[in-house]
Amino acid sequence: MKIENFEKYNWIWHDADLILLKIVWSEDGIQTLLLRTELNPYEDRQLLINLGLNTPKIDLIFHDVGNLMFKGPGDYSLREVIVEWKIKKVGTSKAYKHEIECSGGTELSFICSQGIELKATEDN
């Protein structure tokens, strides 16, 4: 399921567990970023259920990612939890800058212009 206006949905990921972060480079150098998350069971997921995403584990796939910056966790004893997700439009383009902060100190910042693909998953 591809989402163009993710700022309508990003609040659902407040207090979501960050399970996996994966960066893939294609042969032509384009980066794809995958975030595997498990949503907080107390968060209202109705918007996602309406899209057919019924599981609490959701993969977020960002295609054509640029300006990727990652700061690793300060505390490795617990799984990271997303505490803040800011989204800002970049100029007049279709691109959006995403800034994600997690509970253990992880910070992730990147620009994506291709929308976001959401997939329900059962994988860890």
Side-chain angles (χ1 to χ4, degrees):
M1 169 71 52
K2 189 168 182 181
I3 303 292
E4 294 297 331
N5 298 320
F6 187 68
E7 61 273 11
K8 177 180 174 182
Y9 299 90
N10 71 315
W11 62 269
I12 299 170
W13 274 266
H14 184 278
D15 288 341
D17 286 350
L18 182 57
I19 298 170
L20 173 75
L21 181 144
K22 181 178 178 181
I23 303 166
V24 178
W25 280 268
S26 67
E27 289 190 24
D28 57 3
I30 294 175
Q31 295 177 26
T32 298
L33 174 67
L34 179 138
L35 301 178
R36 177 160 295 151
T37 61
E38 185 167 2
L39 300 173
N40 180 331
Y42 299 106
E43 208 64 70
D44 180 3
R45 296 185 1 239
Q46 192 58 50
L47 281 174
L48 297 178
I49 291 169
N50 293 346
L51 296 174
L53 301 167
N54 299 313
T55 67
K57 287 187 182 174
I58 304 288
D59 285 351
L60 297 101
I61 304 163
F62 302 85
H63 299 281
D64 198 8
V65 170
N67 293 351
L68 177 62
M69 301 185 79
F70 173 74
K71 177 183 163 191
D75 180 3
Y76 289 95
S77 64
L78 299 171
R79 184 183 283 173
E80 285 284 30
V81 174
I82 297 171
V83 294
E84 188 164 6
W85 191 326
K86 297 177 190 173
I87 301 174
K88 301 173 190 168
K89 187 150 178 60
V90 178
T92 58
S93 70
K94 290 184 176 182
Y96 287 88
K97 182 174 184 178
H98 295 261
E99 296 175 330
I100 301 169
E101 296 177 21
C102 297
S103 57
T106 294
E107 295 177 9
L108 186 61
S109 173
F110 57 93
I111 294 175
C112 179
S113 59
Q114 298 296 319
I116 300 168
E117 188 178 344
L118 303 177
K119 288 186 179 179
T121 185
E122 295 295 329
D123 296 338
N124 284 325

